[in-house]
Amino acid sequence: MAQIELANDQVRIDADIVAKAFRIDPRDLQNRMREGTITSRFEQGEGEDAGKVRLTFFSEDRKVRITADEGGNVLNCSAIPYLRPGTQEGPATEAADDT
């Protein structure tokens, strides 16, 4: 079963996947996305990455990147500390982790 649904320029992903990468509750994720404190970007692969998609989610201190195939199956999910532009202090250094 696909973990990401892609249709008509719309993307749907199970909140549990993203929330786990952010280390927060799925309800908190949904609230923070409504508030705009977690934002996202969608990209479609080109060239050797054709057929893949990448979803990137940003909070004030963490970035989550999910890569999936054209069927919506998650190939990779990683999360790293992130300093949102315009903020003054950053998080402690941490290695990327697969979630």
Side-chain angles (χ1 to χ4, degrees):
M1 181 169 126
Q3 297 166 313
I4 298 176
E5 295 176 26
L6 308 166
N8 303 324
D9 294 327
Q10 298 280 329
V11 178
R12 293 184 63 157
I13 183 168
D14 186 335
D16 290 336
I17 295 168
V18 181
K20 181 179 177 184
F22 273 110
R23 300 179 182 149
I24 60 176
D25 184 87
R27 289 173 299 217
D28 190 29
L29 171 74
Q30 292 167 339
N31 289 334
R32 292 177 66 184
M33 289 189 78
R34 278 189 214 102
E35 295 167 353
T37 58
I38 291 181
T39 58
S40 62
R41 179 173 52 206
F42 171 76
E43 301 168 275
Q44 290 186 298
E46 298 178 358
E48 66 182 46
D49 291 321
K52 294 181 183 175
V53 296
R54 181 168 61 198
L55 299 164
T56 308
F57 297 86
F58 304 90
S59 73
E60 63 279 351
D61 62 355
R62 198 159 176 82
K63 177 168 70 171
V64 172
R65 179 171 286 164
I66 300 169
T67 305
D69 64 19
E70 59 192 6
N73 301 298
V74 173
L75 303 173
N76 184 42
C77 179
S78 62
I80 60 170
Y82 174 75
L83 179 58
R84 190 178 288 238
T87 57
Q88 294 182 348
E89 292 187 31
T93 302
E94 173 182 325
D97 57 23
D98 284 340
T99 314

